[in-house]
Amino acid sequence: MNTEISAQDRKGWMSLLASADEARLSELWQGYGADPAFDWLRAPEAGGVMVRGRMGGSGAPFNLGEMTVTRCALVLADGTAGHGYVQGRSKAKAEIAAKIDALMQTSAAEDLRAAVLAPLAAEQTARKDARAAKAAATKVEFFTMVRGED
């Protein structure tokens, strides 16, 4: 197990996996080709979580509503644990996320990053850039004309 993984790195790939399109994640995972042997610590199960929000990012927290989440945990043959938390009820997506999380803590990390995480990150960035460009196209600039003195 690689102990040099920062919490920030792990948070990054967990976030990327949770927000990835299920079909695309499955396609990239199948393209990676390695499906490791594992045992369940917690089989995939769906449940609800309370989503909290803040006005303006700094106001008092409030309960926004509930969201369905599927989670699971597994352990690889070498003892590395992986966890998957995804929005919705997809047990398959949660399982893939947990396998990737576990493998990212092993020597397979760089191959997995190139085969699965890098394409997902590039596609996520492209979607954000397209959304930002669409929003920028509707931007209105206001200016004030000053009357000159007579």
Side-chain angles (χ1 to χ4, degrees):
M1 182 171 157
N2 184 355
T3 58
E4 298 177 21
I5 297 168
S6 74
Q8 195 64 27
D9 288 342
R10 192 167 187 202
K11 180 180 176 181
W13 77 63
M14 295 288 283
S15 174
L16 184 61
L17 293 169
S19 63
D21 175 67
E22 181 179 356
R24 183 65 175 140
L25 177 61
S26 181
E27 175 186 329
L28 290 170
W29 174 247
Q30 289 173 358
Y32 177 66
D35 199 2
F38 68 92
D39 290 317
W40 288 116
L41 294 174
R42 177 186 309 265
E45 59 186 2
V49 296
M50 179 59 68
V51 178
R52 306 219 356 132
R54 292 179 182 266
M55 292 302 291
S58 60
F62 63 93
N63 292 337
L64 184 63
E66 291 186 2
M67 178 176 83
T68 303
V69 174
T70 302
R71 69 178 181 176
C72 66
L74 54 82
V75 62
L76 300 179
D78 68 359
T80 306
H83 303 275
Y85 289 85
V86 299
Q87 182 178 350
R89 297 182 178 274
S90 177
K91 292 180 179 181
K93 183 179 177 185
E95 180 180 332
I96 292 170
K99 288 176 183 177
I100 291 173
D101 178 47
L103 288 173
M104 286 298 295
Q105 300 172 66
T106 69
S107 59
E110 288 310 309
D111 292 337
L112 192 57
R113 186 180 312 275
V116 179
L117 298 181
L120 286 176
E123 291 164 10
Q124 184 182 59
T125 300
R127 280 192 307 274
K128 284 181 180 179
D129 290 347
R131 189 170 42 240
K134 187 175 180 180
T138 64
K139 183 178 178 182
V140 177
E141 303 241 359
F142 294 94
F143 61 93
T144 303
M145 294 183 66
V146 179
R147 291 185 186 182
E149 293 184 13
D150 292 327

